[in-house]
Amino acid sequence: MGHEDRHGYSGGAVAFALLAGAIIGAGAALLLAPQTGAQTRTLLREYAQKAEDEVRDRMGEVREKMKEAKTTLDSALEQGKQFLQEKKSVLTAAYEAGKEAMKKERS
């Protein structure tokens, strides 16, 4: 199971979609721009920087969520181990008590 946000999209898919959108937008800007080439290149650099910043921010959020998920999973695993150990102790005690009762009954 992949790491997905609350909407079901993985961080990689979001990053790819963001970059693809930035590239498509940049292409459209080049074709439709009334500015000079220098102005257009400046705009493209700004768009690319914004896209990169957004991807970095999003990946930081994904990393944080992964850390939280790991902490939650580790806690759940530890609780599961404790639960199993407690039940094992109860079953062992019941088995031993049954064994003792059988010995007494046979004697």
Side-chain angles (χ1 to χ4, degrees):
M1 183 167 153
H3 299 287
E4 298 179 350
D5 70 6
R6 65 177 185 243
H7 299 292
Y9 300 108
S10 71
V14 171
F16 177 76
L18 187 66
L19 286 175
I23 291 169
I24 292 168
L30 279 174
L31 294 173
L32 304 173
Q35 305 94 324
T36 65
Q39 291 172 327
T40 301
R41 285 189 294 277
T42 300
L43 282 174
L44 287 175
R45 273 193 291 277
E46 290 172 0
Y47 289 144
Q49 185 62 49
K50 286 179 186 177
E52 182 182 349
D53 292 345
E54 182 66 29
V55 168
R56 288 182 194 275
D57 290 346
R58 185 73 174 149
M59 292 309 291
E61 292 171 13
V62 168
R63 283 187 193 101
E64 281 301 312
K65 288 183 182 196
M66 287 174 61
K67 286 179 188 176
E68 291 171 12
K70 183 184 181 314
T71 301
T72 301
L73 178 62
D74 290 345
S75 175
L77 287 173
E78 187 58 37
Q79 290 175 356
K81 287 178 185 177
Q82 290 175 357
F83 176 79
L84 287 175
Q85 187 62 38
E86 290 169 8
K87 296 306 171 191
K88 182 179 173 184
S89 296
V90 168
L91 287 173
T92 301
Y95 173 77
E96 292 299 324
K99 203 162 104 176
E100 280 298 314
M102 288 290 287
K103 281 183 185 178
K104 287 182 182 178
E105 189 65 32
R106 288 182 182 170
S107 313

